[in-house]
Amino acid sequence: MDVKVEIFSDVVCPWCYIGHVRFAKAADRFRAKGGKVEVTFRPFQLSPEATTEGRPLLEALAQKFGPNVAQMTSRVREVGAQEGLEMNFDQAVHTGTFEAHRLIEVATAQGKGHEMADALFRAHFTDGLNVGDPDVLAKLAAEVGVSDDGEGAAQVDEQLARARELGITGVPYFLFEDKYAVSGAQPDEVFDQVIDEVAERTGQVPLAPAGDGCDDGYCAV
């Protein structure tokens, strides 16, 4: 059995990118212990009113949050760098993301949802591409090896409505087994604990590999 998690996020959300990377590290460690984690990406739109024409992200942020956006983004960029991420806010494009979410839906059906999300995050934050532009999306799909059949819009609408029903107002939002929720880009050590706890509660604990350890909290040296 797999530990199932749905990750509600937006590909233009910096904390979603950071949370995505942190969770992936924890999931890989759980798999290394013999466990299984099944991840499904779910859509959320931070700016549903945004058009796909695109405009400089810092301009859009300044309009929404005021003149201190340079300080805000500098802190996020530093956190991202600690996770090995290059986040170029001065090049990023504010855009609509519905079609990007639809492409993730298509990719998920082809077993490449994780790779597609990775490509979209990197395109937005590192490469300064407009992830609402159809040409950009087509190029990214080709790079990942996804055949875009134009489907997925209905599923995105359905999941956006579900996010509203769940009361999700911020992302990233991690929903385990449709009942346990964790919000925010938690440190990957927290995700380690959450995955282990959910696995235990659902009877999906993997066999721990043999090795050095302690059974009572102390080690005899």
Side-chain angles (χ1 to χ4, degrees), residues 161-173:
R162 179 164 167 252
R164 291 190 292 271
E165 291 170 2
L166 289 169
I168 299 173
T169 57
V171 285
Y173 185 92

Side-chain angles (χ1 to χ4, degrees), residues 34-35 108 111 114 143 146 163 210:
T108 297
H114 182 94
E143 289 175 357
V146 171

Side-chain angles (χ1 to χ4, degrees), residues 194-214:
V194 172
I195 295 173
D196 285 345
E197 184 174 347
V198 171
E200 183 176 355
R201 290 187 183 185
T202 55
Q204 300 172 59
V205 181
L207 293 175
D212 297 331
C214 310

Side-chain angles (χ1 to χ4, degrees), residues 147-172:
S147 175
D148 186 4
D149 55 10
E151 298 293 323
Q155 290 90 334
V156 172
D157 280 329
E158 177 184 330
Q159 291 300 326
L160 288 172
R162 179 164 167 252
R164 291 190 292 271
E165 291 170 2
L166 289 169
I168 299 173
T169 57
V171 285

